[in-house]
Structure formats: C-alpha cells, structure tokens
Amino acid sequence: MKRLLILTLIMLGCSWSTNAQVHRWYNRYAKVVKANALLANYTDSLRLLKKRLDDARTRNEHEAAERGYVSGDGRYFPLFAPLTFYHGVAAEQLGTGTDDAVVEEVNRSLMKVYLKRPDLVQNSQNRMQNMVSQGKEVSKPVKQEVDLVAHVKDTVQTPPVVTPVEVVVKKPNFWTFKGDYYLQLLQNYISDNWYKGGESNYSMLASVVMEADYNNKQKVKWENKLEMKVGVQTSKADSVHTMKTTEDLLRLTSKLGLQASKKWYYTLQMLAVTQFARGYKSNDPVVYSDLFSPFTLDLSLGMDYTVEAMKKRLKGTIHLAPLAYKFHYVDRLALATTFGLKEGHHTLNDFGSQVTADLTWTFTDNIKWQTRFYAFTTYKGMTMEWENTFSFKFNKYISTNLFVYPRFDDTVSPDAHHGYWQFKEFASIGFTYSF
C-alpha cells in the first residue's frame, strides 16, 4: 500500500513538472510568434512604402520624359522650403486632383502636415503674394553707366634688357682723424719816455695737435696723438738773444688697447717727449735745454678707463699702469746732472708706476677746458705734471687761451724759493682752426 502511494505521488509530481515546462515553452513560443508577426508587419509596411515610392519615381520619370522636365524643376521645393500654406493643396485634395504623380504626392504630404501639425506652418500664400505685389515692376532693362578706361593696345612683351651693374664693395674704415691748430700773436709797444717805464716786445705762440685713432668696434683700439707747440718772444732788455723760446714741446702719445669690458681696456702705452730748439734765459748765454736734451721715453702696461660724464661734455681717458719703464736720454753731457743723470752719462733707466689722464670738459660751445695729468714714481723719486688749457672762442677763427702748468720733480736739486715745484702760465689771443 505504501509503495502504491509513493508511486502515485511520484507520477503526480512528474505530471505537474511536465505541465509547467510545457506552459513555459508555450509562453516563449507565443512571444516569439508575436515578435515575428510584428517584424513581418513592419517589413511589409516598409516594402509597401518602397513599392509606392518606386512607382511614384517611375511615373515621375515617365511623365518628366513626356513633358520635357529636367532634374531640379522645383516640384519638390515645398517639401524643403519653410513650411507654407498653399491654397492649391486643399483645392486639389477636395477636387479631382492632378495628373502629375509627383505633385500629387507632394500635396498629399503637405495636407497631412496641415491637418496634424498646423503649428509648423510658418507662412501663407497670401502673405507671399502681398510681399511680391509691393515690388516695382521694371519695364525697361536697367543699364549701369560705368566709366571705362580707354582701350590700350596690347603691348608686345620684349625680353628685359639686362644692364650690367658695377658692384663696389668697400672695406669698413676704422680710422678717424682730427686736428686742432692755432696761431696767436701779441705785440706790446712802449716808448722810451713812457712815464711808468717798461719795454716793447713781440711774442708768438703756434700749436698743432693731430690725432689718428683706430677702432674696429669690437676689441682692438689704437690711439695716436702728436702735439707740437712753439712760442717765441723778443725783448730789448735781452742784449744776448734777439729771440727766446717761451714754449717748446714735441710729444707723441700712442696707446694700444684690448677691450676688457664696456669702458675698460688692457693698454700698452708709449710716451715720447722732447723739444725743438735751445732754451735760454735773459742775458744768459748758457743753454738750459735742447733737442734730445732731454728726451724721455715711457713704456707702461696697465688699464685704460674711458670717461663719459655730464651728458658727454666731459670726455677722455685715464691710464693706470702698475708696471712702467722710463728711459732718459740727454745729448748734451753738460746738462746730464740738470736732468737727474750721473755726470758724464747720456742715459738713465727707471722702473716704477705711472698714471696719465687726458680729459676735455666742454662747459659751453665757446668755453672748453683741456687737462693732462702725468705722474711717474719710483722708489727714489717722483715726477708730476699738470697741464691746463682754458680756451675761449669768440667765433670759429678767433680765440684766446689761458695756459696754467704746475710741475713737481724731486729727482733734481730743489730751488731755494720754490723747492721741487715749478710753475708756468701764459695767456694769448689769436687765430684757431679745428677739424
């Protein structure tokens, strides 16, 4: 009995499970069939629409061939232009229609839009007609009056004439030259019975300064300066000499520089100094100086500083040389001891340091100060010179000069009144020329 009951329950369970599986399979099949039917209907509608479009295209091409239409005749224009309400669309739908299949399909499509989406209609046929009626009809063709240039005959193009051009390539000139010349005269006449006494005299001063400078605007600079000055004077009180020199200078300065920075140069300087004629004192036949008596040659190695200040009114150079060599030469043996040499010797060699400054300060266009400072020192003595020339120009050719020249030299015997100091000063007026 128990076995029969268990067998019955097993059979009922199997039957229930089978029925459930069949029900699930049926539901899946029904969904598949429903989806296939929907897909078939959608496919059929697309196929029907394609057939209608093909038929309409075929009729359109046939009618276009019979009526002579060409592609782009404008019958499709209402479908792509801004949506407009046309009267003919409704009239043809209510009437018999048209023989043109394309126009009929276009009108049918427009009518559906009119009925279902009237909010898309942006314009109407009446408004378009009113806009066209406002225009002015042109009865005559419009012609523009345009000024035309005169007709130019066609020119025959000839090959260009090639003219040879001479090309001259000039090398840059790094040399500059300048000079300063003046000749100044002074005449003083006093009669023998002049109540204050005195004597007549004549004096003359001539000066030539020439410069030749080389500067390649890169590293090398070479400056050369030649100074020549001669001053003479006559005096009745001097019964020994009819003429004596008051100023006598022959000096050459040459500097070769290699640029270290914007204003500093490594510099080798040469300075040679002597005079032109013999030097005398009044009523004294003794010769105190002469050509190459003395003669000095300075060689120094140091640095030059270029001065440009006060809006370039103060210009010049300052030479600082920790190493300097000075060569003394006296041609007249009788003057050897006068210039610091040993008796009976023509030459003397000194080693030391040197400072040289050449500056020009232009106060105004007519007033100028030129100064030169020179100092040479050894372990035994020192020589210092400070030349100052003040120039006052009246015009281009007339000027007056004031020359002030203090000098210190402790290599010679001191004077009872001035010691080691020496002093010279004179003023002159005359002709001047510069370039």
Side-chain angles (χ1 to χ4, degrees):
M1 185 68 182
K2 292 181 179 180
R3 295 179 178 176
L4 181 61
L5 181 58
I6 294 171
L7 180 62
T8 303
L9 291 174
I10 293 173
M11 292 179 65
L12 288 175
C14 292
S15 175
W16 179 80
S17 176
T18 303
N19 291 334
Q21 291 181 359
V22 170
H23 182 70
R24 287 196 298 271
W25 290 342
Y26 176 78
N27 289 337
R28 292 179 181 176
Y29 176 75
K31 291 181 180 180
V32 172
V33 171
K34 186 176 179 180
N36 291 336
L38 181 61
L39 179 61
N41 292 335
Y42 179 70
T43 305
D44 291 341
S45 62
L46 292 177
R47 188 180 296 108
L48 180 60
L49 179 60
K50 181 177 183 302
K51 184 176 183 305
R52 290 177 59 186
L53 292 175
D54 291 340
D55 293 342
R57 186 183 300 108
T58 302
R59 290 197 304 271
N60 179 35
E61 293 177 354
H62 179 69
E63 293 176 359
E66 291 181 351
R67 300 181 184 183
Y69 291 146
V70 295
S71 179
D73 56 7
R75 288 177 294 173
Y76 296 98
F77 174 76
L79 296 177
F80 303 99
L83 194 58
T84 305
F85 179 77
Y86 297 100
H87 300 161
V89 174
E92 291 179 359
Q93 294 296 319
L94 297 175
T96 58
T98 178
D99 295 335
D100 192 339
V102 175
V103 175
E104 185 178 353
E105 290 294 332
V106 171
N107 291 340
R108 187 181 298 111
S109 301
L110 291 175
M111 195 63 189
K112 290 180 180 180
V113 177
Y114 294 162
L115 295 176
K116 295 182 179 181
R117 295 296 303 274
D119 57 301
L120 298 178
V121 181
Q122 301 179 6
N123 206 350
S124 66
Q125 186 173 353
N126 292 335
R127 186 182 301 173
M128 294 179 63
Q129 290 177 352
N130 291 334
M131 293 175 61
V132 175
S133 63
Q134 292 178 2
K136 295 182 180 180
E137 294 185 359
V138 180
S139 58
K140 296 181 180 180
V142 179
K143 295 182 179 180
Q144 299 291 339
E145 295 182 0
V146 181
D147 295 335
L148 301 177
V149 298
H151 180 69
V152 180
K153 294 181 179 181
D154 296 335
T155 58
V156 179
Q157 295 185 354
T158 58
V161 179
V162 180
T163 303
V165 178
E166 184 179 356
V167 179
V168 179
V169 179
K170 294 184 178 181
K171 294 182 179 179
N173 185 13
F174 299 123
W175 285 94
T176 57
F177 303 91
K178 59 182 179 180
D180 189 6
Y181 310 89
Y182 65 83
L183 175 63
Q184 299 180 337
L185 306 172
L186 180 62
Q187 183 265 336
N188 182 22
Y189 172 75
I190 299 176
S191 64
D192 295 336
N193 61 346
W194 183 249
Y195 74 104
K196 288 186 177 181
E199 64 176 357
S200 302
N201 60 74
Y202 300 90
S203 63
M204 179 194 72
L205 176 64
S207 174
V208 176
V209 179
M210 295 184 295
E211 297 183 39
D213 301 332
Y214 174 88
N215 190 348
N216 64 356
K217 308 298 181 180
Q218 294 179 358
K219 291 290 185 180
V220 180
K221 183 171 66 173
W222 184 23
E223 297 178 350
N224 300 277
K225 184 177 182 180
L226 177 62
E227 300 170 86
M228 296 179 287
K229 293 181 182 180
V230 175
V232 294
Q233 181 184 30
T234 63
S235 176
K236 291 183 178 181
D238 189 356
S239 59
V240 178
H241 313 99
T242 58
M243 186 177 296
K244 301 189 302 292
T245 59
T246 58
E247 177 70 14
D248 195 352
L249 175 66
L250 176 59
R251 181 167 57 206
L252 174 63
T253 305
S254 181
K255 294 192 292 185
L256 178 63
L258 181 64
Q259 189 172 18
S261 63
K262 184 178 180 180
K263 292 188 176 182
W264 287 94
Y265 284 81
Y266 301 107
T267 304
L268 175 63
Q269 176 176 276
M270 183 198 73
L271 180 62
V273 183
T274 186
Q275 62 187 57
F276 288 99
R278 298 175 181 178
Y280 297 99
K281 292 183 179 180
S282 295
N283 296 311
D284 190 350
V286 177
V287 177
Y288 287 88
S289 62
D290 198 355
L291 177 65
F292 292 108
S293 295
F295 168 78
T296 59
L297 176 66
D298 290 40
L299 294 176
S300 60
L301 181 63
M303 296 195 73
D304 262 28
Y305 177 75
T306 303
V307 178
E308 281 190 0
M310 300 180 182
K311 297 182 180 180
K312 295 185 178 182
R313 289 187 175 273
L314 178 60
K315 291 183 176 181
T317 58
I318 299 176
H319 177 66
L320 306 175
L323 299 176
Y325 163 72
K326 189 171 186 178
F327 171 73
H328 303 261
Y329 175 78
V330 177
D331 185 60
R332 290 176 174 263
L333 289 178
L335 301 177
T337 56
T338 305
F339 296 107
L341 279 68
K342 294 181 180 181
E343 186 176 358
H345 289 72
H346 288 284
T347 62
L348 176 64
N349 299 297
D350 279 334
F351 296 90
S353 302
Q354 179 181 300
V355 177
T356 307
D358 284 283
L359 302 172
T360 300
W361 189 353
T362 305
F363 297 102
T364 65
D365 294 338
N366 297 326
I367 302 176
K368 182 172 62 175
W369 173 36
Q370 292 175 296
T371 181
R372 175 185 177 272
F373 178 82
Y374 166 83
F376 180 86
T377 179
T378 65
Y379 296 106
K380 297 180 180 181
M382 176 179 179
T383 302
M384 183 182 68
E385 301 174 349
W386 188 20
E387 302 175 21
N388 298 274
T389 304
F390 298 89
S391 301
F392 304 89
K393 272 192 173 184
F394 299 105
N395 54 41
K396 186 176 181 181
Y397 300 106
I398 303 296
S399 70
T400 181
N401 290 338
L402 174 63
F403 185 73
V404 181
Y405 184 5
R407 187 176 187 274
F408 177 87
D409 188 359
D410 61 358
T411 61
V412 297
S413 299
D415 181 75
H417 180 65
H418 298 287
Y420 294 110
W421 284 96
Q422 304 169 19
F423 189 80
K424 181 188 229 181
E425 179 270 334
F426 65 84
S428 61
I429 184 171
F431 300 98
T432 183
Y433 176 73
S434 301
F435 72 90

